[in-house]
Amino acid sequence: MSMNIGFQDEMRVGLLPCTRRLWSKIGERPISYHHNKYEWFYIYNVIFPLKKEQFTFFLPTVSVKHIDFFWQHFLKEHGDEKYLIIWDGAGFHRGINQNLYPSLSFLTLPPYSPELNPAETIWPIYREFIANKYFSNLEELEKELIKAYWYIENNKDEILTRTQYNWIMEISNLQ
């Protein structure tokens, strides 16, 4: 049985606007509404480029407890296979007890190398769904991010297009 290669990352999203350039009439300045109070949560995501799959959770913060929660739920759905999970060296990643996950092997990327993590390429899709929009609360924001999640689920070739790095294809052929 071959090992599945996944890339995990987290992104903070909140009520402060995600602004993008936009078109407007000459001489008119677009109005942007926003909150002064910043509330947020995190999107936890693991991407499997070769399978064109993802597993996603929205959680209130980043911590050892929350990453454990994420992996426990991942294994409830996908625990019958072996996985190589490649992720960054965030402090709370190093704090998990890897012995709790016998079907997961973890590999940490070098420091300051987000360009090596294909999971980073998925975040612009989420940002595009919330760009230049005002959300009065986190529930409204979450509803829009769920639309982004379903867009990715229904356009799985997008995962492949964004995440199929040459070196991933090379290591997948070594199995």
Side-chain angles (χ1 to χ4, degrees), residues 15-32:
L15 297 181
L16 285 180
C18 174
T19 56
R20 297 277 193 271
R21 292 180 184 222
L22 52 92
W23 291 95
S24 65
K25 290 183 180 178
I26 294 175
E28 290 185 16
R29 184 169 283 186
I31 297 172
S32 174

Side-chain angles (χ1 to χ4, degrees), residues 11-13 18 20 120 122-132 145 148:
M11 180 178 86
R12 182 171 70 175
V13 291
C18 174
R20 297 277 193 271
E120 296 276 357
I122 298 300
W123 301 136
I125 297 171
Y126 283 95
R127 286 189 188 101
E128 206 53 45
F129 272 77
I130 61 173
N132 298 327
L145 291 167

Side-chain angles (χ1 to χ4, degrees), residues 29-119:
R29 184 169 283 186
I31 297 172
S32 174
Y33 297 99
H34 67 279
H35 284 276
N36 289 330
K37 180 181 176 187
Y38 192 38
E39 295 178 57
W40 61 82
F41 59 88
Y42 287 81
I43 305 171
Y44 285 64
N45 200 352
V46 62
I47 295 289
F48 297 94
L50 302 173
K51 297 171 77 173
K52 297 190 273 187
E53 292 180 3
Q54 68 174 336
F55 181 79
T56 306
F57 254 81
F58 297 168
L59 295 168
T61 189
V62 290
S63 69
V64 172
K65 178 178 107 176
H66 288 91
I67 196 74
D68 275 334
F69 178 85
F70 176 78
W71 290 123
Q72 288 167 11
H73 284 273
F74 172 79
L75 290 173
K76 282 182 185 175
E77 291 186 29
H78 303 90
D80 54 341
E81 297 183 51
K82 296 277 188 189
Y83 297 90
L84 171 62
I85 303 299
I86 301 172
W87 58 3
D88 59 31
F92 65 96
H93 290 174
R94 294 186 301 264
I96 69 165
N97 181 354
Q98 294 183 14
N99 295 329
L100 296 175
Y101 312 108
S103 60
L104 301 179
S105 298
F106 294 94
L107 178 66
T108 302
L109 291 167
Y112 309 106
S113 59
E115 69 280 0
L116 294 177
N117 190 345

